[in-house]
Amino acid sequence: AQSVSQHNHHVILSEAASLELGCNYSYGGTVNLFWYVQYPGQHLQLLLKYFSGDPLVKGIKGFEAEFIKSKFSFNLRKPSVQWSDTAEYFCAVNFPRGGADGLTFGKGTHLIIQP
Amino acid sequence: ETGVTQTPRHLVMGMTNKKSLKCEQHLGHNAMYWYKQSAKKPLELMFVYNFKEQTENNSVPSRFSPECPNSSHLFLHLHTLQPEDSALYLCASSHGRGTGELFFGEGSRLTVL
């Protein structure tokens, strides 16, 4: 079955630490990949996306992600986190479907940055 | 301001009540979605509408009844819900071109007593 897995459900880091959040999906064909972020009390918003081309994509607020097709992975990274990065991070995949654009999401990673 | 507006933001209802959630998008999109966000579970896609037509229903119980009168408005009618239906219900919209990029509202927090 098509699924999305996020390995870390809770991550606690200090400011200036480096971040990497894992995401894997199960599907052998072409997909579009996304990371969404949900800051406390706010709506889900797009952090970055991969459709095709350069497998290293850059998003907002210094985040980047690398698509490794052979590993079915799309890990999120940031070299130096800030307290304001405290949020819930969701990996999502657009598996081919007959309808529109319904995304399949991972369970999310709750990231806490300690000052 | 997200371009996708959901009302009400909070709703408390009894199991015998009938209520509705409303979603409106101001982005000119063609597709709209309902997702359910529960604690410790992935966001669950409930319904997909493309050009007002329902294209996906992911085995959602009939006590949830969606309605899409036009491409800008989406409703979720609720009746005889169960306490386990308490969750954050998210509406989203997209161009509907198959890219997968969704734009979300802030959600309606539903509590069923």
Side-chain angles (χ1 to χ4, degrees), chain A residues 1 5 20 26 35 38 46 52 54 59 64-65 78 80-81 85 102:
Chain A
S5 300
E20 181 160 3
S26 58
W35 276 96
Q38 190 173 31
L46 183 67
S52 63
D54 188 344
E64 63 180 31
K78 185 170 183 178
S80 177
V81 294
D85 292 325

Side-chain angles (χ1 to χ4, degrees), chain A residues 53-89:
Chain A
D54 188 344
L56 184 62
V57 293
K58 296 190 183 299
I60 60 172
K61 304 187 180 185
F63 285 91
E64 63 180 31
E66 184 176 13
F67 171 50
I68 303 179
K69 189 173 182 179
S70 61
K71 295 184 178 181
F72 304 96
S73 69
F74 190 55
N75 292 355
L76 181 70
R77 300 195 294 246
K78 185 170 183 178
S80 177
V81 294
Q82 302 172 303
W83 176 80
S84 58
D85 292 325
T86 294
E88 192 91 22
Y89 292 82

